[in-house]
Amino acid sequence: ELTDGLRYVQANQALRALSLAFGVVGLAAGVVQPLAIFIAVEKLGLDKQSLQWFMMANGAAMLVGGAVIMGVAKKVKPQFLLATGLLVSAVCTVGVGASTLIPVTLLLQIISGLFYPCIHVGIQTLIMRNTEGPFMGRVGGAITPIFMGMMLVGMGLSGYLKDATSLFTVYGLSGGLLVVGIAFLSPLF
């Protein structure tokens, strides 16, 4: 069934573009995910326990953003939702990597959280609109491992990249990869 799903994705231009974008976004998420503790400790001069407050603010903002998106999603094209979510995430990611001010970093986490549901709803809606019913599970089963696999690759590289460059450079790279993800969506517009 996985092979059928991969063949179906390969044959569908919209799903191919979405898979490429999803892979790049997974890599972008992976390279910064393990480094959040360094933002709190190195950039902001806080202890490691303070990271939970930034994550909590981001998570609460995701809940609020999800509630807002439920009302807006039917009125906005899913590719626009996805591209907007990725662009805001790119800007916030670079901003978090550059910030040395606690209120700015916290605000960027909140903004990023508010727009994260745009990414999730955009992707899921595009998959639903571009997949025939009998292939829905197979397509999801083919695309999700692309994201997860690339995220794992990014997580594996993050420490090396940070040691070879800087925390800001890795966050900048992640933001750049998110923009590349938007570019891969261009066939959908």
Side-chain angles (χ1 to χ4, degrees), residues 76 105 108 122:
V76 180
T105 305
L108 289 168

Side-chain angles (χ1 to χ4, degrees), residues 73-96:
K74 291 183 180 180
K75 301 172 189 164
V76 180
K77 291 182 177 182
Q79 55 269 43
F80 180 76
L81 275 177
L82 179 53
T84 301
L86 291 175
L87 182 60
V88 170
S89 186
V91 170
C92 289
T93 298
V94 173
V96 166

Side-chain angles (χ1 to χ4, degrees), residues 7-184:
R7 276 195 215 112
Y8 189 85
V9 168
Q10 183 64 28
N12 184 313
Q13 180 185 6
L15 294 176
R16 260 194 332 263
L18 197 57
S19 295
L20 285 170
F22 214 33
V24 172
V25 169
L27 185 61
V31 296
V32 295
Q33 203 267 338
L35 301 179
I37 190 73
F38 295 104
I39 293 294
V41 175
E42 292 180 11
K43 285 285 202 172
L44 303 176
L46 301 170
D47 60 22
K48 63 184 178 184
Q49 287 80 16
S50 63
L51 178 63
Q52 67 186 332
W53 301 109
F54 292 96
M55 297 297 105
M56 185 182 72
N58 184 271
M62 281 186 207
L63 289 173
V64 172
V68 171
I69 287 299
M70 283 193 285
V72 175
K74 291 183 180 180
K75 301 172 189 164
V76 180
K77 291 182 177 182
Q79 55 269 43
F80 180 76
L81 275 177
L82 179 53
T84 301
L86 291 175
L87 182 60
V88 170
S89 186
V91 170
C92 289
T93 298
V94 173
V96 166
S99 175
T100 57
L101 302 172
I102 295 169
V104 171
T105 305
L106 187 59
L107 180 64
L108 289 168
Q109 287 288 345
I110 291 169
I111 293 168
S112 178
L114 285 171
F115 281 85
Y116 183 78
C118 291
I119 297 170
H120 187 71
V121 169
I123 287 170
Q124 293 304 317
T125 304
L126 286 168
I127 289 173
M128 289 172 54
R129 287 189 182 172
N130 290 287
T131 306
E132 297 170 27
F135 285 92
M136 194 68 69
R138 291 176 224 178
V139 168
I143 290 179
T144 302
I146 293 170
F147 176 83
M148 297 303 289
M150 293 305 290
M151 187 174 183
L152 287 172
V153 169
M155 291 169 87
L157 294 173
S158 65
Y160 296 114
L161 290 171
K162 180 192 175 289
D163 290 343
T165 59
S166 69
L167 196 55
F168 173 70
T169 302
V170 178
Y171 272 74
L173 172 66
S174 178
L177 287 169
L178 291 168
V179 172
V180 169
I182 296 168
F184 280 139

